[in-house]
Amino acid sequence: MYVCLCVGVTDGQIRDAIYEGCCSYKEVRAATGVASQCGKCACLAKEVVRETLTSVQVSQQAALPYPVEFTAA
């Protein structure tokens, strides 16, 4: 689905940018040009970035052989 009509960026391109190493909306914007013209797509683009980053983080944690625990110092 097209997220940014001005530049022609799709949700797949946003996901690909994250899979290739982008770790934030700012990095995705720099890599794809999404929301660099009129900005009307920014909310949707941020949503796709947020969902994809969450999905990547969950899949990485599931790949760990043991659960990660955090303790307060």
Side-chain angles (χ1 to χ4, degrees):
M1 151 182 79
Y2 278 94
V3 174
C4 179
L5 296 176
C6 295
V7 183
V9 178
T10 65
D11 60 333
Q13 290 171 308
I14 292 172
R15 288 186 185 94
D16 287 344
I18 292 169
Y19 297 145
E20 292 172 4
C22 292
C23 297
S24 68
Y25 170 72
K26 185 177 180 179
E27 290 178 2
V28 169
R29 184 175 175 192
T32 64
V34 68
S36 61
Q37 298 292 316
C38 74
K40 290 183 180 180
C41 62
C43 288
L44 179 57
K46 287 177 185 178
E47 182 180 331
V48 173
V49 168
R50 193 174 320 121
E51 289 174 357
T52 307
L53 286 173
T54 300
S55 173
V56 167
Q57 289 171 350
V58 167
S59 67
Q60 287 176 347
Q61 287 178 353
L64 293 175
Y66 53 89
V68 176
E69 295 182 20
F70 295 99
T71 57

